[in-house]
Amino acid sequence: LTVGATINGTRYETLTDAFANANDGDVVVLENDVNEATAIVVNKKVTLDLNGKVITGTDNATDKNFYLINNTAGTLTITDSTITNNTCY
């Protein structure tokens, strides 16, 4: 199992899976660099700790970039990040 992210020690293969299982107030910790093929839906109050890792997103069907985070009704706080040339690291 390649671990993409953890929540309180519970391991998830993808960041999308971690967000789907997150509860209000959880901290999702990125454990490896990940490449997401679909937008991550945020509908809770969650913190994303990038943990020095990088998230990239490319639509496999079009090979183009897309909005990586779809904040539908939640609050997302991102920690351990930097932004360079409009790119968040």
Side-chain angles (χ1 to χ4, degrees):
L1 172 68
T2 300
V3 178
T6 58
I7 301 173
N8 297 321
T10 301
R11 303 179 324 170
Y12 296 94
E13 189 170 355
T14 68
L15 193 54
T16 301
D17 290 342
F19 271 90
N21 287 284
N23 295 308
D24 280 337
D26 278 347
V27 177
V28 176
V29 179
L30 199 59
E31 298 295 341
N32 290 293
D33 294 342
V34 296
N35 183 16
E36 295 291 320
T38 59
I40 299 161
V41 175
V42 178
N43 55 11
K44 303 162 191 125
K45 183 176 182 178
V46 180
T47 297
L48 172 60
D49 179 355
L50 292 177
N51 193 29
K53 308 298 188 253
V54 177
I55 304 169
T56 55
T58 304
D59 184 327
N60 291 337
T62 65
D63 200 34
K64 295 185 180 183
N65 293 335
F66 59 92
Y67 289 104
L68 188 57
I69 306 287
N70 181 5
N71 190 350
T72 58
T75 302
L76 177 64
T77 302
I78 299 175
T79 61
D80 192 29
S81 66
T82 59
I83 297 177
T84 305
N85 296 328
N86 295 322
T87 303
C88 184
Y89 296 94

